Amino acid sequence: MKTQSPDTSIEAERVLVEIIRRASVSKRFQLVQSMTRSTFLANMYAWRESHSEANEGDVATHFVAMSYGPRLAERFQATLVNYRDWHLQPVHLLVVVDEIIQKLRELNISWYLGGSVASSLYGMQQLAQDIDLVVDLLPQKTASFEASIASLKPHFAFEEQAVHQALLQHTAIALLHMDTAMKVDLIIGKHEMSFLSRDNELCTMELDENHQEVPVASVYEMILFKLYRYHLNELSRQDGMTDDMQWNDILGMLKVQGPALDLSLLEQEVKHLSLEHIWDLVLIDAGLRKG
């Protein structure tokens, strides 16, 4: 088995994996939230120390530019003008998406939580750079959904034209939560692994006692999606480097969920995606197959 960090012994990691397995889903979610909140604030105020003239809005705008790019930072800055007395709020992941989820429910549009938050619930916890909601949007609901997104202003910053294009092309809509500077990606349409989170495979989890239960991508979808992303990154790079973060994310889910996983189902889909060469290495590094 390969450990997540070269500084960690195999024995220590086995203890950690067992602790995570015993932890409730809400406990894992709390850890993700705590890591996200502290990292966001630390990054912002580290920059502010060397820019004493910057106000809170300047700090947040710089953070958005560095984390999500200049275009979203421009939208954030333009929307900030409409706030008379704006102050950055600590990140609460479910509060960030509350209004979006409410609108999806009002329109009876199916959705579920994916991305790093979902993978952290199944594997090793990590900070959430953004929040991914996978939206199963039927064509007849596109117009009402677009109007509903437009009504999210001024609580979210976004480009209306980019929203329209994303709906036409079935790609992701980027929304920036104004209070926390956290990005939400609404992923429109299906990808090759999404069927694994449909119907009975979709998990419903209570992440916080003060919020409704949330539908979450299945562990099978998350493992295969991350594996496929790793493969695409491997093909696109010319420097011979690998995406260690993506790899460790996959290993974390396999290590924590290993005993409960139907590996035959995963191997069937791995073969369908022609990822057998990567899959063998993943199983060896996760300690689920001998090298």
Side-chain angles (χ1 to χ4, degrees):
M1 183 176 80
K2 179 182 177 182
T3 58
Q4 303 293 102
S5 169
D7 299 328
T8 305
S9 69
I10 291 178
E11 292 75 16
E13 184 163 284
R14 282 175 176 157
V15 171
L16 175 60
V17 167
E18 189 57 36
I19 290 172
I20 295 173
R21 285 176 181 166
R22 292 177 181 178
S24 66
V25 169
S26 60
K27 183 68 176 178
R28 299 177 195 181
F29 179 74
Q30 287 170 17
L31 183 55
V32 174
Q33 183 156 274
S34 176
M35 293 169 68
T36 302
R37 181 179 296 175
S38 59
T39 303
F40 269 44
L41 292 176
N43 287 345
M44 289 188 194
Y45 289 103
W47 182 80
R48 191 173 192 176
E49 284 186 1
S50 58
H51 298 78
S52 57
E53 75 288 353
N55 60 34
E56 203 168 15
D58 296 332
V59 173
T61 301
H62 174 79
F63 173 81
V64 172
M66 293 298 100
S67 300
Y68 308 126
R71 289 183 64 179
L72 208 49
E74 287 174 8
R75 294 309 311 155
F76 176 78
Q77 196 168 36
T79 307
L80 204 58
V81 174
N82 300 320
Y83 283 74
R84 180 176 298 179
D85 189 24
W86 180 87
H87 293 288
L88 184 70
Q89 302 299 315
V91 174
H92 189 302
L93 298 171
L94 291 181
V95 170
V96 169
V97 295
D98 262 348
E99 189 175 358
I100 299 171
I101 290 172
Q102 181 181 345
K103 292 186 180 298
L104 290 169
R105 285 174 172 152
E106 287 172 356
L107 294 172
N108 198 27
I109 295 173
S110 299
W111 61 276
Y112 60 88
L113 181 66
S116 60
V117 178
S119 61
S120 291
L121 298 176
Y122 293 120
M124 302 290 191
Q125 285 66 62
Q126 59 182 299
L127 71 92
Q129 188 71 23
D130 51 29
I131 305 171
D132 289 352
L133 299 182
V134 182
V135 180
D136 190 4
L137 184 63
L138 298 175
Q140 61 267 31
K141 293 189 176 181
T142 300
S144 57
F145 178 70
E146 186 170 3
S148 189
I149 292 298
S151 70
L152 290 171
K153 287 185 175 180
H155 301 136
F156 287 85
F158 54 89
E159 295 182 78
E160 291 188 19
Q161 185 59 35
V163 170
H164 185 71
Q165 287 299 317
L167 291 172
L168 289 176
Q169 299 169 8
H170 284 240
T171 53
I173 297 171
L175 308 173
L176 192 78
H177 189 239
M178 290 299 299
D179 285 348
T180 60
M182 165 66 81
K183 181 165 72 79
V184 179
D185 281 332
L186 302 183
I187 301 169
I188 309 299
K190 302 175 183 179
H191 53 73
E192 290 195 56
M193 280 62 70
S194 63
F195 76 94
L196 290 166
S197 280
R198 303 292 165 173
D199 302 325
N200 61 321
E201 289 294 345
L202 195 64
C203 302
T204 303
M205 301 182 182
E206 183 182 279
L207 305 182
D208 187 306
E209 61 181 10
N210 296 317
H211 290 77
Q212 292 186 46
E213 291 184 335
V214 173
V216 181
S218 75
V219 65
Y220 297 99
E221 174 178 347
M222 292 312 305
I223 290 172
L224 290 168
F225 181 70
K226 294 280 185 178
L227 198 68
Y228 190 64
R229 286 273 298 271
Y230 179 87
H231 171 63
L232 292 180
N233 181 269
E234 191 177 45
L235 291 177
S236 66
R237 297 191 72 144
Q238 304 296 320
D239 56 10
M241 302 293 288
T242 57
D243 188 345
D244 289 341
M245 185 176 295
Q246 202 87 252
W247 189 259
N248 280 340
D249 210 4
I250 300 165
L251 294 185
M253 288 187 282
L254 287 170
K255 289 171 183 176
V256 173
Q257 299 295 323
L261 289 174
D262 183 348
L263 291 180
S264 62
L265 173 61
L266 280 168
E267 287 174 356
Q268 177 183 335
E269 299 307 323
V270 163
K271 186 175 181 180
H272 173 71
L273 295 167
S274 301
L275 299 175
E276 297 97 323
H277 63 296
I278 304 176
W279 183 242
D280 288 339
L281 294 174
V282 166
L283 291 179
I284 292 169
D285 281 359
L288 298 178
R289 178 174 295 174
K290 292 183 179 180

